[in-house]
Amino acid sequence: MDIAHTPAAERIARVLCGQRISINAGGETESASAMVDDHWRDHLPDALAVLRTLREPDQHMAAAGDPAIWEAMVLVAIEQAKPKPQTLVL
């Protein structure tokens, strides 16, 4: 099984950003990777909305595995996407 090295919220935000920008997904830009790199953070609120929706697996998903583990994994992805407090050094 492959394991991604990029956080789930970032991956979702990048997909949403690319979907809006890339001509391959209905946008207007032929080469969208640089724009996605620059603008994916703008789509983090939407990515978090997707993750919050996915907290509860549907019946078919629950039948395939442990719903408690699924929920725990999605909650970790949501927590990981929250902005980290920053300390100002004067």
Side-chain angles (χ1 to χ4, degrees):
M1 170 182 282
D2 291 333
I3 297 177
H5 297 284
T6 305
E10 179 179 340
R11 293 193 329 262
I12 294 168
R14 286 179 172 278
V15 167
L16 295 172
C17 184
Q19 180 185 30
R20 287 161 178 81
I21 294 172
S22 174
I23 198 165
N24 295 330
E28 298 178 1
T29 304
E30 285 188 34
S31 180
S33 66
M35 287 183 72
V36 169
D37 286 343
D38 291 342
H39 297 283
W40 68 266
R41 287 169 190 81
D42 299 338
H43 299 274
L44 268 175
D46 293 333
L48 284 168
V50 169
L51 285 168
R52 288 183 187 108
T53 300
L54 288 174
R55 279 182 299 196
E56 296 176 2
D58 64 30
Q59 291 177 342
H60 296 293
M61 294 167 67
D66 185 336
I69 292 173
W70 172 266
E71 181 183 24
M73 292 169 70
V74 174
L75 289 173
V76 167
I78 292 168
E79 186 64 31
Q80 185 180 25
K82 289 182 180 177
K84 307 297 182 256
Q86 300 204 359
T87 304
L88 296 176
V89 178
L90 301 174

